[in-house]
Amino acid sequence: EIPVLFKKELQNEETKEGKQVKLTCELSKPDAPVKWMKGDTVLYASEKYEFKQHGTVAELIIRDVKSIDS
């Protein structure tokens, strides 16, 4: 099976504390499973984190951004 690769990697995004930010990447295979992580910690859907995936595009929305989220 062909490995899933990034067609468009994550880019740095800036926002103000208390706002939200959206991180987007594009994969080589549609609807491939995506695991979002911060360092070694797996992120799970919650009030703070929302995950969306449309075909090859995967998005992570971080709400109420704090400096610790950088």
Side-chain angles (χ1 to χ4, degrees), residues 17-32:
E17 282 198 32
K19 300 291 185 183
Q20 76 174 28
V21 68
K22 178 169 45 174
L23 302 174
T24 305
C25 65
E26 187 173 355
L27 309 169
S28 60
K29 184 177 177 183
D31 301 315

Side-chain angles (χ1 to χ4, degrees), residues 4-10 25-28 34 36:
V4 178
L5 304 172
F6 286 107
K7 288 175 69 177
K8 179 183 170 197
E9 295 195 16
L10 289 175
C25 65
E26 187 173 355
L27 309 169
S28 60
V34 173
W36 290 94

Side-chain angles (χ1 to χ4, degrees), residues 1-58:
E1 186 173 318
I2 299 172
V4 178
L5 304 172
F6 286 107
K7 288 175 69 177
K8 179 183 170 197
E9 295 195 16
L10 289 175
Q11 302 295 312
N12 288 331
E13 298 289 339
E14 291 187 16
T15 191
K16 295 188 184 305
E17 282 198 32
K19 300 291 185 183
Q20 76 174 28
V21 68
K22 178 169 45 174
L23 302 174
T24 305
C25 65
E26 187 173 355
L27 309 169
S28 60
K29 184 177 177 183
D31 301 315
V34 173
K35 182 190 300 184
W36 290 94
M37 301 180 72
K38 180 178 188 266
D40 294 331
T41 304
V42 177
L43 303 179
Y44 295 98
S46 64
E47 285 186 19
K48 183 159 187 79
Y49 303 114
E50 180 181 352
F51 310 120
K52 294 183 179 182
Q53 194 163 354
H54 311 282
T56 59
V57 177

